[in-house]
Amino acid sequence: MALTAIIYKSSTRELELLDQRLLPTKTDFVVCKNSTEVAEAIRGMVVRGAPAIGITAAYGLALAELGGENIQEAYERLLASRPTAVNLKWALDKVLAAADKVKASQELHEEDVEINKLLGENGANLLEGGVLTICNTGALATGGHGTALGMVRSALEKGRKVHVYACETRPYNQGARLTTWECVQDNIPCTLITDSMAGFLMKQGKVQAVIAGCDRVARNGDTANKIGTYSLAVLANYHKIPFYIGMPMSTLDMNCPSGDNIPIEERPPGELFSALPSVGVWNPAFDVTPANLITGWVSEEGVWTKDKFWI
Ligand code: MRU
């Protein structure tokens, strides 16, 4: 993908973030100079996707150090920006412990791309034919290449024939606005569907695998990801279609016993269309797919099956 979504400029000590709220119609960058601005960018969805959030928060802590901020306060501020993706804490802890926080953030950023390429390589052979996905798990959601969409990129590089079906991903439309945009940029064959079309598409035999990313995987394998993922897993199970999670090891939370312990972010009602202001809105940003509905977790270390987890 030509555009880089997270750019640290050492000459000006600024972090430039591709404003994902404007895609696919406009490409513009938000410039952050301190941890408060970085936390606001994460909270406000300028940058989103678990690995990308972690990398951005890491740079936020680096900016805090360069600007002479209280590091512990900056850490807490960044940590509070979004609750579900465990990569945020993972990245912040790594950078907090490092003597040179800029260097540590840059290394974490570069490593993420390498991890995604390994993950993609491990998952590539699992994909052939129609691949249904949700949300965005590509270069925009990570340091580059992507997790689940990275598997597609790697499969295509190997000459495998893959066609992406991108769920619109209501209510925020990450699939319609970001995944399809990445597919167009990289000539990845892609068709957009609404989330409610997934079952009928499967019934027609057009889906050979379902792939999704993850925001936090509990140590028993229960997996939090974008709202709608659980529904896809149930549908895949019914239609006997394999269901894979692209899981960088940084998203496995060994301190979290099961999906019941994963904090689920609830977002503002205004993100849902509601004709009547008096109608109540429930808007959880994520759901949890139980481990027993998942065929495999594709990581940089290989493809995990349920028996690898601590159930
Ligand atoms: O609310 P978002 O857009 O940050 O949610 C992102 C997702 O759910 C992604 O699918 C997930 O972070 C995996 S990213 C590779």
Side-chain angles (χ1 to χ4, degrees), residues 5-6 15 17 20 38 42 47-60 81-82 84-92 94-95 104-117 119 135-150 182 212-217 224-226 245-252 286 298-300:
I6 306 169
L15 187 65
L17 300 171
Q20 299 190 26
V38 172
I42 295 172
V47 59
R48 19 80 42 228
I53 288 172
I55 294 162
T56 304
Y59 281 122
S81 57
R82 289 191 77 191
T84 303
V86 74
N87 307 60
L88 181 62
K89 184 173 186 320
W90 174 85
L92 282 170
K94 271 197 134 183
V95 174
S105 305
Q106 287 170 325
E107 281 173 5
L108 194 127
H109 193 171
E110 283 161 22
E111 275 165 25
D112 187 69
V113 182
E114 294 312 310
I115 285 167
N116 290 337
K117 288 190 174 157
L119 187 157
C135 199
N136 177 255
T137 58
L140 293 169
T142 62
H145 196 70
T147 57
L149 199 62
E182 283 200 32
C214 52
D215 292 83
R216 190 183 301 241
V217 178
N225 192 55
K226 180 53 53 191
I245 294 291
M247 180 191 74
M249 294 305 289
S250 55
T251 317
L252 176 60
F286 303 94
V298 183
S299 84
E300 66 271 30

Side-chain angles (χ1 to χ4, degrees), residues 23 31 34 66 116 158 202 227:
L23 290 173
V31 180
N34 54 51
L66 292 172
N116 290 337
K158 283 173 179 275
M202 291 181 191
I227 189 76

